[in-house]
Amino acid sequence: METISRCSPSDHLVIIGSGMASHRLIEALVKSPTRPQRITVIGAEPTPAYNRILLSPLLAGEMQQDALTLRDAQWYAAQNVTLILGEKVESLQRDRRTVITDTGRTLHYDRLVIATGSRPALPDIPGIELAGVHGFRDLQDAGALTDIAQQGGDAVVIGGGLLGLEAAEGLRKRGSDISVSVLQRSERLMNRQLDTTAAHLLENELSQRGLKIITGAQLAQLEGDTHGRVAKVQLADGRQFNASSVIIAAGITPNAELGHQAGLRTDRAIVVDEWLTTSDPAISALGECCQFDGTTYGLVEPIWRQVEVLAATLCGTNTQGYADAPSATKLKISGVALYAFGPTDASAEHEVLSYHDIERGDYRRLLLRNGQLEGAVLYGDTSQGPWYFEQALVGTNLNDCRHALLFGAADVAVLQTIAADQHNDTPHLSTLEAA
């Protein structure tokens, strides 16, 4: 087991960022008897940490804002954690171990954690700066999109991944007089998670609900009106779409500028080692703003594992350090359940097993190599997804039960039991020789 130097009880731990990763870290720290006693959290948003995953139902009008809050300000106070909200850290002075906020507040730290998250990745095209162009990352964005939905008009969502589709569905549900189009650069929706069949099923479902889905859409420019507000979206092939508003949901950019300005080692994000420590041993980085072994992060599962490592490091408990691990994607888009892991597209070496129940709207596709499961896409009924993922992780040889594999664990278990019984009933060579 490995460990590195922890915070002493008298150390002042400052955490920049009050998002989900920061909050998860604080919850882990306050449970430890060896926690740093002085913890200060600085957040640029005016509200305590909230569940960003629930922004879509908030936009759709299916949930109230209070339901997103993870802990209120009183909880932080009760844990002896100082919470500073509505202030952005603008300067990090490593030689003095101080941070300075946009209000002029100066704070000294002994240990620092940068957990500044990310922002929407904006395409480098003419017109991106026009009024009426929005992201969908925080409560302010959700409020702006709610106004757009209620005002009506032509909304164009750039990006056919999870966030883009949830923004589009939220707009459609919230507005009674709004037309919503989704422009996806790839030839299929959610191309990183879904194969062609599942993507087409999802596209058909969303189209029937009233969304306009345009795939193979290469964005060229945004055109504005005489008031400097977006009015049209133009594609590289010349097609144009009316747009009273544009929502950008085509990836994220790590908020790594603070680390770069302070001279920390950066690449696409702030570079960290397996203990989430930056090139400065007094500073750690966590979540979407960090980069480990060439990888940046946007899903909660690896970030939660980072939190466990960093909490152990700060509290002086043993940890092997962070390592990337395979993960599965479990999603639900407006009632449509999806589950996927492993390669999205089959290679020549894969054996492909697929099942499609048109009436029930269920689809499964499994990729096997040499009898071992390497990838799966489930659409509709995803109940067997975790079991498939477990088989892939442990490398189970499924050759003897491949004919039942598409029907899940119960059917496979029957075949495995029969195969085991037959094996036990077969006389061994030594027995035959003795006879």
Side-chain angles (χ1 to χ4, degrees):
M1 303 291 279
E2 298 286 346
T3 187
I4 64 171
S5 60
R6 55 154 295 195
C7 289
S8 71
S10 60
D11 280 350
H12 185 197
L13 172 65
V14 174
I15 302 174
I16 304 174
S18 61
M20 293 174 65
S22 169
H23 177 76
R24 183 95 168 190
L25 175 62
I26 294 165
E27 290 226 332
L29 291 175
V30 299
K31 294 175 183 176
S32 173
T34 57
R35 58 164 281 187
Q37 293 304 305
R38 293 184 63 207
I39 302 176
T40 299
V41 182
I42 309 172
E45 293 188 68
T47 57
Y50 55 89
N51 190 340
R52 296 180 192 273
I53 298 172
L54 298 179
L55 286 174
S56 298
L58 175 67
L59 170 60
E62 300 167 349
M63 187 173 289
Q64 297 299 313
Q65 181 173 324
D66 289 348
L68 277 65
T69 302
L70 296 173
R71 297 283 190 177
D72 59 22
Q74 288 71 28
W75 178 85
Y76 289 88
Q79 307 303 319
N80 195 28
V81 175
T82 301
L83 186 61
I84 301 172
L85 298 176
E87 294 188 34
K88 180 180 179 181
V89 173
E90 290 193 332
S91 175
L92 165 56
Q93 299 177 337
R94 292 167 50 203
D95 56 341
R96 299 181 180 180
R97 291 197 177 186
T98 58
V99 297
I100 302 174
T101 74
D102 54 1
T103 67
R105 186 196 302 262
T106 299
L107 290 173
H108 171 82
Y109 67 85
D110 297 294
R111 292 292 292 269
L112 182 71
V113 175
I114 302 175
T116 46
S118 66
R119 60 187 183 277
L122 299 180
D124 185 16
I125 58 170
I128 195 67
E129 75 289 343
L130 290 168
V133 178
H134 302 270
F136 186 40
R137 294 289 294 172
D138 56 30
L139 287 172
Q140 184 176 355
D141 293 334
L145 267 59
T146 298
D147 293 339
I148 288 170
Q150 294 173 342
Q151 292 167 6
D154 298 303
V156 176
V157 177
I158 308 298
L162 173 64
L163 191 63
L165 296 180
E166 288 190 331
E169 266 290 87
L171 288 166
R172 182 192 66 81
K173 288 181 177 180
R174 194 60 174 259
S176 59
D177 188 27
I178 187 170
S179 171
V180 184
S181 301
V182 177
L183 306 186
Q184 166 71 330
R185 181 175 182 175
S186 170
E187 294 298 331
R188 65 177 186 255
L189 297 177
M190 298 189 66
N191 56 295
R192 294 185 179 181
Q193 293 87 20
L194 303 182
D195 66 357
T196 300
T197 301
H200 285 165
L201 289 171
L202 180 60
E203 180 177 341
N204 290 338
E205 173 66 26
L206 297 177
S207 296
Q208 290 174 11
R209 298 183 185 186
L211 296 181
K212 300 174 184 177
I213 309 293
I214 300 95
T215 57
Q218 178 67 44
L219 197 61
Q221 66 177 3
L222 306 180
E223 296 182 8
D225 59 19
T226 57
H227 302 289
R229 185 174 183 84
V230 68
K232 288 184 182 296
V233 173
Q234 182 171 320
L235 303 185
D237 60 11
R239 285 180 291 172
Q240 290 188 341
F241 301 88
N242 291 331
S244 54
S245 59
V246 171
I247 295 87
I248 306 293
I252 58 176
T253 298
N255 290 326
E257 289 77 11
L258 192 62
H260 180 72
Q261 293 167 5
L264 297 176
R265 184 185 170 198
T266 60
D267 185 16
R268 288 175 294 151
I270 302 172
V271 176
V272 298
D273 63 15
E274 59 266 47
W275 295 286
L276 287 305
T277 305
T278 69
S279 54
D280 184 329
I283 302 176
S284 303
L286 172 70
E288 293 174 338
C289 70
C290 83
Q291 177 178 328
F292 171 74
D293 198 22
T295 301
T296 55
Y297 303 90
L299 298 175
V300 296
E301 183 177 339
I303 294 174
W304 286 176
R305 288 190 280 109
Q306 290 179 1
V307 166
E308 293 176 3
V309 171
L310 183 53
T313 298
L314 294 174
C315 293
T317 56
N318 289 331
T319 175
Q320 288 283 9
Y322 176 79
D324 282 328
S327 60
T329 302
K330 182 178 182 180
L331 308 169
K332 183 169 285 189
I333 301 177
S334 292
V336 178
L338 308 169
Y339 191 99
F341 64 85
T344 303
D345 297 310
S347 69
E349 292 77 26
H350 282 126
E351 178 183 8
V352 181
L353 304 180
S354 62
Y355 164 84
H356 188 186
D357 186 332
I358 298 176
E359 290 186 2
R360 295 175 62 90
D362 293 334
Y363 170 73
R364 296 166 210 163
R365 189 223 57 190
L366 308 178
L367 299 181
L368 287 86
R369 187 196 302 267
N370 299 324
Q372 295 183 350
L373 187 59
E374 287 194 348
V377 174
L378 284 72
Y379 178 100
D381 180 4
T382 62
S383 59
Q384 296 298 313
W387 182 80
Y388 286 132
F389 187 52
E390 180 183 354
Q391 305 314 301
L393 287 179
V394 299
T396 305
N397 190 304
L398 300 165
N399 273 329
D400 291 340
C401 54
R402 55 178 296 284
H403 298 296
L405 197 55
L406 285 167
F407 302 101
D411 287 49
V412 167
V414 172
L415 283 185
Q416 289 176 329
T417 300
I418 293 174
D421 290 343
Q422 290 175 343
H423 177 75
N424 292 332
D425 290 342
T426 301
H428 292 287
L429 180 60
S430 59
T431 305
L432 293 173
E433 290 175 344

